[in-house]
């Protein structure tokens, strides 16, 4: 870590975008490269992704899915087979036109998502109801040609998993769509301490080629929403375009019912913007690559470093722990560990050794706790759980304080201007109202939440009868 | 599994190439797609890769490396910064020329390898000897525009890890290069039961941009060699081209010493061609996704399926075990499990249940072993170890029987024609001899092995003084 690392970062309430950039670079999560819109994910950032990936991969396998790997490149003619899909994605794909010195007869795009590749494969391997369900997933990189980019939140290339499944019946596909949304919600809430709202996207906001899209939406510190994971019921659209048919139990040919669902490195951006503060990153213990950092005090004095290393040795099997024995001053080490969002700092100096205790400092509250030597392991375990819960509860409290109901457009714009956040309002179902609301307020429909409330009888925009409550927000 | 699966495959000694294609498709490792030269890695193939990846990733981390992720796309100007490197790779890269509807001002290539991206990043983050060593690794997909392709062995796109490190001194870089070659050799020998020859590539065969390249070479069933992993000492070439300099302990600016090393999905092709037989795949137990398959005999009879599931339940925590309770006939199930290379088959039928025993059948030898119920777990564990060792020893025996020494070109060509395999022969060090040998025999220099023998005093080709023994072979 260089000196730059502990320079002051921008105050988050002054300039949230600059604060974000400061944090991702100074906490050494990413670096920029000469590739426009792409990022280098540095060891500390990648270790966070590895923890998310491991947890999600375990869930994906426990729910019966198998991992596969599809090609990176998609021939243009294959991408064009499903017309809604190509319309949605064509404007944002990167095209390969030459291999070595040769011009290609057909352009290949770099996958923006892999529905068409899975569809082609499924057509080859599915023949009978006995072949169903097919529950596949892949971990991969994808490219979408974005104009404006920001690390994690919107980059040309990102990492993700994309699940693609085939089922006998509409109900099976529906169940799968819901099940995987729940898996994503669990990862957000339990691992990342990010509370989410689950719901369905409007027709306008659904995935290109889907029958319907479910989403989890989370709220950032600055009151803007972030789509955190989506799960699509594709119906039989791709199956019909690609001819993925099977002999059903009645001996008749019919198209399969499909789903797809994805979760990306974007969630790291959400985690930063939900929990971070003016000192930098704040990492939930469950996902933190280092949960406890030992900082020796007056480490040149006899016995201090030995005691610190002994502690490290005795604790490393029960907790992800590191030691900073560099020749930097303790104050610098404190700042660095705060910038990196390490949940607990453990201070040990000559006086502590004499008194057979250490000091634990919480990153989330700043609280200092003296702990006797024999209680250290238990106390660390207790505190990590408490920090995890506290971060979730704090984020939930923030979301609740930034969620308002609006029955008129005056209330809508008033609340949005004053407070940002989520606006709950009734909607008639017409896209024209959705478009108008977006034009007037810059808020988009985030979802039609599963948990509905009848706030009024009429649409907040056109006053015609409405039976759906929609969550609206400005969004990343 | 469909009926196709247990159709006869081509005899390996009649047509080894067709045998290989039959095995990779019928064992359901891969499928083809409409993307020329790319493969779909199916669940069974990907599960093998996941096991290799996990084992190697653990080793990479235990030797002090950290994972990162670099962009997929490289601007043409960046690729051109190191002249040997661009010369080597330019003919085989895929070029992106358009993003969405826009023509790009500068072409971007899809990474064929990431030296230049790491170099650019290292220039940003390395300033002092205190920043060294930097020991980074990434797991990624790369593309090389190959004309002729075969699943795993040579595909446009493949998966790999690429390590990239920076060091203070030449010795440190040398040590790292050797250390990672040893890690690769361990993975091949212990996990995949593939014996390897370790050595150094000739100047002609070294990596484009490297000072020197170390390699592990293995021998396939058909007597052809396969390069199985390489580790490059890059010297200061990239550091000088990119300006990666640091203040050394004497306070002077100097370029870093670098290494890079890679291991790919190609190794799965090696594993198939080293161990496979006319019944299909033969998987070493350490890497097999399923180590034991339970096949119930007369499963319609009362108690058989219950007993089979009980066994599965009681064994699944100690071994990777599956059960085939489908309505296919046992003979079909036997054939399928042989095609898929599952190390052990466990048969249980009414008579076995009565006699409180089961039958275990080894995939590698076909041997049938009756085992009493209380000894099953121990016997499986013992047999899996024995199979692992047997496969390694068999492969080593095969390599020894296919390795010959030659002191004249007559011996060289005679042995190569009669027996294939490795030819050990002395070499003077001139590239012209290397070129001539290749032209006359189609054998290339595989490596200058670490274990040398002075077979004669002169070059096998030109009869001038020679002090290096080279391993030659026709190669994949």
């Amino acid at each position: 870590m260089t000196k730059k690392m502990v320079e002051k970062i921008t105050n988050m309430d002054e300039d949230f975008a600059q604060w974000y950039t400061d944090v991702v670079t100074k906490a050494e999560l990413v670096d920029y490269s000469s590739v426009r819109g792409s990022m280098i994910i540095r060891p500390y950032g990648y270790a966070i992704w590895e923890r998310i990936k491991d947890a999600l991969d375990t869930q994906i396998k426990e729910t019966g899915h198998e991992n596969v790997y599809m090609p990176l490149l998609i021939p243009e003619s294959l991408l064009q087979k499903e017309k809604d899909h190509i319309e949605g994605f064509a404007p944002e794909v990167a095209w390969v036109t030459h291999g070595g010195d040769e011009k290609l007869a057909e352009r290949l795009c770099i996958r923006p998502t892999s529905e068409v590749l899975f569809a082609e494969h499924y057509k080859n391997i599915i023949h009978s109801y006995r072949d169903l369900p097919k529950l596949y997933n892949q971990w991969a990189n994808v490219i979408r040609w974005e104009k404006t980019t920001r690390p994690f939140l919107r980059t040309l290339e990102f990492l993700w998993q994309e699940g693609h499944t085939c089922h006998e019946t509409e109900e099976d596909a529906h169940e799968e769509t819901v099940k995987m949304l729940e898996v994503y919600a669990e990862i957000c809430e339990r691992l990342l301490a990010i509370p989410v709202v689950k719901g369905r996207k409007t027709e306008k906001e659904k995935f290109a080629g889907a029958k319907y899209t479910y989403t989890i939406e989370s709220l950032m510190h600055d009151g803007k929403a972030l789509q955190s994971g989506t799960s699509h019921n594709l119906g039989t659209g791709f199956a019909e375009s690609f001819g993925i048919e099977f002999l059903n139990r009645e001996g008749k040919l019919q198209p399969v019912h499909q789903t797809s669902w994805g979760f990306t490195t974007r969630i790291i951006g959400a985690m930063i913007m939900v929990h971070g503060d003016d000192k930098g990153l704040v990492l939930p213990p469950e996902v933190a690559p280092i949960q406890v950092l030992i900082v020796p005090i007056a480490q040149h004095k006899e016995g201090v470093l030995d005691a610190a290393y002994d502690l490290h040795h005795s604790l490393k099997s029960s907790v992800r722990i590191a030691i900073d024995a560099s020749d930097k001053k303790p104050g610098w080490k404190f700042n660095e560990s705060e910038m990196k969002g390490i949940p607990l700092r453990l201070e040990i100096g000559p006086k502590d050794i004499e008194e057979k205790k250490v000091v634990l400092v919480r990153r989330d509250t700043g609280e200092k706790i003296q702990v006797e030597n024999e209680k250290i392991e238990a106390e660390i375990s207790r505190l990590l759980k408490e920090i995890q819960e506290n971060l979730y509860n704090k984020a939930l409290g923030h979301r609740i304080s930034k969620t308002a109901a609006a029955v008129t457009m005056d209330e809508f714009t008033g609340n949005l201007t004053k407070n940002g956040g989520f606006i709950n309002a009734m909607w008639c179902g017409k896209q024209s109202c959705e478009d108008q609301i977006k034009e007037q307020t810059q808020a988009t429909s985030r979802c039609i939440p599963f948990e509905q409330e009848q706030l009024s009888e009429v649409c907040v925009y056109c006053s015609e009868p409405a039976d759906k409550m929609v969550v609206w927000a400005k969004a990343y």
Side-chain angles (χ1 to χ4, degrees), chain A:
Chain A
M1 301 184 203
T2 58
K3 197 180 162 196
K4 258 191 175 166
M5 162 96 210
V6 285
E7 281 167 16
K8 260 222 153 318
I9 57 171
T10 306
N11 190 296
M12 65 197 302
D13 291 325
E14 260 167 39
D15 183 347
F16 193 68
Q18 188 56 48
W19 169 85
Y20 180 80
T21 305
D22 287 354
V23 169
V24 293
T25 53
K26 292 188 177 161
E28 300 186 342
L29 298 176
V30 301
D31 192 14
Y32 295 96
S33 77
S34 62
V35 190
R36 183 191 77 79
S38 293
M39 62 178 165
I40 292 166
I41 309 181
R42 301 186 66 180
Y44 197 57
Y46 200 78
I48 292 170
W49 178 239
E50 282 185 316
R51 290 198 61 77
I52 295 170
K53 196 180 160 193
D54 285 352
L56 182 52
D57 192 60
T58 301
Q59 285 299 307
I60 286 172
K61 284 174 177 154
E62 278 179 7
T63 46
H65 301 83
E66 300 178 291
N67 284 339
V68 300
Y69 188 76
M70 292 282 157
L72 173 71
L73 300 175
I74 305 175
E76 186 163 16
S77 55
L78 191 67
L79 189 66
Q80 284 171 337
K81 274 201 163 181
E82 213 289 335
K83 76 172 180 17
D84 292 336
H85 191 63
I86 176 77
E87 265 177 38
F89 282 102
E92 54 181 57
V93 296
W95 291 104
V96 173
T97 56
H98 290 74
D101 296 330
E102 268 175 56
K103 189 167 188 227
L104 305 181
E106 180 182 14
R107 300 198 296 178
L108 304 167
C109 83
I110 299 179
R111 63 182 163 219
T113 179
S114 306
E115 272 73 12
V116 298
L117 293 165
F118 277 89
E120 186 186 42
H121 180 50
Y122 281 140
K123 181 186 162 51
N124 280 345
I125 63 167
I126 293 172
H127 308 288
S128 146
Y129 70 89
R130 286 191 188 84
D131 300 322
L132 296 173
K134 278 278 180 275
L135 306 173
Y136 286 176
N137 175 64
Q138 87 168 344
W139 291 95
N141 55 342
V142 291
I143 287 215
R144 297 183 186 172
W145 210 261
E146 306 281 359
K147 304 262 183 244
T148 328
T149 61
R150 299 178 67 191
F152 296 118
L153 298 176
R154 198 168 292 275
T155 41
L156 286 202
E157 180 184 7
F158 57 86
L159 304 181
W160 76 344
Q161 62 65 225
E162 45 179 322
H164 296 267
T165 68
C166 295
H167 306 267
E168 276 185 78
T169 67
E170 200 177 331
E171 298 75 56
D172 290 351
H174 174 76
E175 260 175 43
E176 170 81 6
T177 313
V178 175
K179 185 198 284 172
M180 298 322 291
L181 193 81
E182 289 294 341
V183 165
Y184 290 160
E186 277 277 311
I187 292 287
C188 285
E189 301 198 329
R190 307 244 182 230
L191 187 74
L192 302 170
I194 301 175
V196 297
V197 173
K198 297 173 231 173
R200 181 172 167 156
K201 287 280 182 192
T202 61
E203 281 298 296
K204 175 185 158 91
E205 300 286 340
K206 77 178 184 185
F207 178 75
K211 194 168 153 192
Y212 55 81
T213 290
Y214 289 146
T215 179
I216 48 175
E217 301 282 328
S218 55
L219 195 68
M220 306 297 103
H221 174 84
D222 65 344
K224 281 164 85 175
L226 189 136
Q227 176 180 304
S228 303
T230 48
S231 181
H232 318 292
N233 186 331
L234 301 177
T236 57
F238 284 91
E240 281 160 23
S241 302
F242 283 80
I244 317 170
E245 290 182 320
F246 69 102
L247 271 179
N248 66 19
R249 287 166 202 265
E250 286 78 46
K252 283 186 188 149
L253 267 183
Q254 68 159 81
V256 298
H257 297 265
Q258 291 188 280
T259 83
S260 71
W261 26 276
F263 198 78
T264 85
T265 35
R266 194 171 200 221
I267 202 67
I268 296 174
M271 187 193 64
I272 297 165
M273 294 196 293
V274 166
H275 302 304
D277 64 20
D278 284 332
K279 291 179 176 171
L281 211 55
V282 177
L283 292 182
E286 288 283 334
V287 81
I290 300 168
Q291 296 173 307
V292 182
L293 182 74
I294 300 176
V295 179
I297 309 293
Q299 66 183 39
H300 59 282
K301 294 210 176 154
E302 206 189 317
V304 172
L305 274 180
D306 284 347
Y309 278 111
D310 284 350
L311 256 181
H312 181 259
H313 187 76
S314 71
L315 292 170
K316 72 180 179 190
S317 65
S318 62
V319 65
R320 293 188 293 279
I321 191 163
I323 186 165
D324 185 349
S326 68
D327 55 9
K328 286 172 279 192
K329 289 189 179 155
W332 281 76
K333 295 180 184 179
F334 296 172
N335 289 347
E336 283 179 353
S337 81
E338 283 168 353
M339 176 66 79
K340 291 209 152 193
I342 297 168
L344 279 177
R345 183 169 82 227
L346 188 158
E347 303 175 5
I348 179 165
K351 201 163 150 248
D352 303 305
I353 294 168
E354 204 175 294
E355 294 174 8
K356 298 195 166 119
K357 60 166 193 59
V358 301
V359 176
L360 291 171
V361 186
R362 286 174 66 153
R363 173 65 180 89
D364 61 335
T365 58
E367 191 189 351
K368 292 190 174 200
I369 304 116
Q370 284 209 349
V371 188
E372 291 163 36
N373 281 355
E374 63 268 28
K375 291 183 186 155
I376 296 175
E377 190 173 333
E379 188 65 3
I380 286 176
S381 161
R382 188 186 71 76
L383 282 170
L384 291 177
K385 279 202 195 79
E386 207 173 295
I387 295 170
Q388 184 81 22
E389 280 171 25
N390 178 47
L391 290 179
Y392 179 82
N393 290 333
K394 222 167 120 183
L396 185 61
H398 178 256
R399 189 186 81 193
I400 291 168
S401 78
K402 294 249 180 205
T403 301
V407 295
T408 64
M409 280 310 289
D410 278 353
E411 283 179 12
F412 194 122
T413 48
N415 268 311
L416 196 65
T417 313
K418 200 179 71 201
N419 211 16
F422 285 146
I423 308 288
N424 293 338
M426 299 307 292
W427 176 56
C428 60
K430 288 198 301 288
Q431 197 184 311
S432 55
C433 292
E434 202 180 347
D435 290 340
Q436 285 300 320
I437 290 174
K438 184 176 176 186
E439 206 181 303
Q440 287 183 23
T441 68
Q442 284 114 57
T444 50
S445 72
R446 304 316 307 154
C447 68
I448 306 162
F450 292 160
E451 285 184 25
Q452 285 282 311
E453 221 179 307
Q454 188 78 29
L455 301 171
S456 83
E457 301 301 316
V458 297
C459 175
V460 69
Y461 189 80
C462 70
S463 298
E464 282 180 32
D467 61 359
K468 285 180 198 68
M469 183 182 85
V470 167
V471 179
W472 309 81
K474 293 182 186 174
Y476 279 94

